[in-house]
Amino acid sequence: MSDFEIAPSILSADFGYLMRDIDNLKGTAKHLHIDIMDGHYVSNLSMGIPVVKSIRKHTDLKFDTHLMITNPEKYIKVFAEAGSDNISFHYECTDDPRLLIDQIHDLGCNAGIAVHPDTPIEEILPWVDKCELIMVMTVHPGFGEQGFLNGSLERISKVREAIDAKGAKTILSVDGGINVSTIKPAYDAGARFFVAGNAVFSKEDPAKAVMDLRACVSQ
Ligand code: DX5
Ligand code: ZN
């Protein structure tokens, strides 16, 4: 049994053939990563509730929903009802992470905190045992296909140390710029859940792309 997971990000899929692209994963992944953007917290728009609801009808994959939106508390319920399994909000978008975590739990979902690369990582450390998932952003949120940011490995390591020091089981996720070159260093730094958009869906065979990424960690 492997101790890590790859979550393909549908942001890089062909939205005209979304279910075809998801089906092309052929059981190589357990989670789909779904990026929700509001054109406000991030300067881009992506997809919304109807898309999440629609694909929920056609796949059993778990949904790792990443809210890149202001006022996340207003939208947690609709994304839970649309079929999310994990819901991550941005630490920078709330004054009360505890309340959001409780609300997400009350809706029956796992709670995640996503951290912007410009946020000092120390700010997140007190929260690592208060939720199921910490998502360290390794690019500036808002766009796929960017390069893995310098300094990310150190940030991942600090979160890993904090999780381990507390004896927590929190999943350490990384999002952005994960590819065959960056996945192993990120694993070695302590990440265990890898969001990958471009490295999966820009490839002819997304299932092979996931297996290629897996092989980089396992070898
Ligand atoms: C960026 C998104 C990412 C994106 C990652 O704001 O949060 O999930 O899909 O894309 P890649 O893997 O292409 O960097
Ligand atoms: Zn994301």
Side-chain angles (χ1 to χ4, degrees):
M1 257 258 315
S2 82
D3 67 346
F4 70 96
E5 198 179 322
I6 292 169
S9 171
I10 58 172
L11 190 63
S12 292
D14 181 340
F15 279 69
Y17 293 93
L18 191 48
M19 276 318 304
R20 178 204 64 186
D21 281 8
I22 293 169
D23 288 341
N24 278 343
L25 293 168
K26 296 181 185 135
T28 53
K30 288 190 192 131
H31 281 88
L32 278 183
H33 182 82
I34 302 179
D35 287 310
I36 308 298
M37 305 179 186
D38 65 353
H40 186 212
Y41 174 59
V42 292
S43 57
N44 198 7
L45 294 162
S46 54
M47 67 202 102
I49 298 146
V51 175
V52 182
K53 264 189 190 164
S54 298
I55 58 175
R56 182 70 289 165
K57 289 189 258 175
H58 301 292
T59 176
D60 292 332
L61 289 171
K62 289 183 184 293
F63 287 178
D64 181 50
T65 302
H66 177 191
L67 300 180
M68 283 168 272
I69 61 176
T70 53
N71 303 120
E73 66 284 350
K74 285 190 186 169
Y75 299 97
I76 283 167
K77 188 162 185 276
V78 282
F79 281 104
E81 287 170 355
S84 301
D85 295 278
N86 303 337
I87 299 182
S88 296
F89 60 87
H90 265 268
Y91 178 73
E92 303 78 18
C93 294
T94 179
D95 293 328
D96 195 348
R98 179 74 265 169
L99 181 66
L100 280 173
I101 291 167
D102 288 346
Q103 287 173 346
I104 293 170
H105 287 165
D106 288 347
L107 290 160
C109 297
N110 297 315
I113 303 181
V115 198
H116 191 285
D118 294 344
T119 298
I121 203 68
E122 288 70 23
E123 288 188 26
I124 213 70
L125 303 183
W127 293 96
V128 300
D129 59 344
K130 310 276 188 299
C131 54
E132 285 70 42
L133 194 100
I134 297 283
M135 188 188 301
V136 176
M137 291 300 297
T138 42
V139 295
H140 286 94
F143 297 88
E145 299 163 36
Q146 303 179 72
F148 189 84
L149 285 168
N150 286 335
S152 294
L153 295 177
E154 201 187 339
R155 291 167 64 82
I156 296 166
S157 301
K158 285 188 179 166
V159 176
R160 176 83 266 154
E161 279 169 26
I163 292 173
D164 292 346
K166 296 189 184 205
K169 296 271 175 265
T170 314
I171 296 166
L172 175 40
S173 166
V174 286
D175 184 8
I178 292 296
N179 57 38
V180 290
S181 307
T182 55
I183 191 167
K184 179 72 160 81
Y187 178 92
D188 290 341
R192 292 295 179 267
F193 190 102
F194 302 90
V195 175
N198 189 43
V200 172
F201 286 115
S202 70
K203 302 286 191 272
E204 189 98 341
D205 183 347
K208 180 176 180 301
V210 172
M211 296 316 288
D212 288 347
L213 285 168
R214 293 195 67 87
C216 294
V217 173
S218 304
Q219 70 197 356

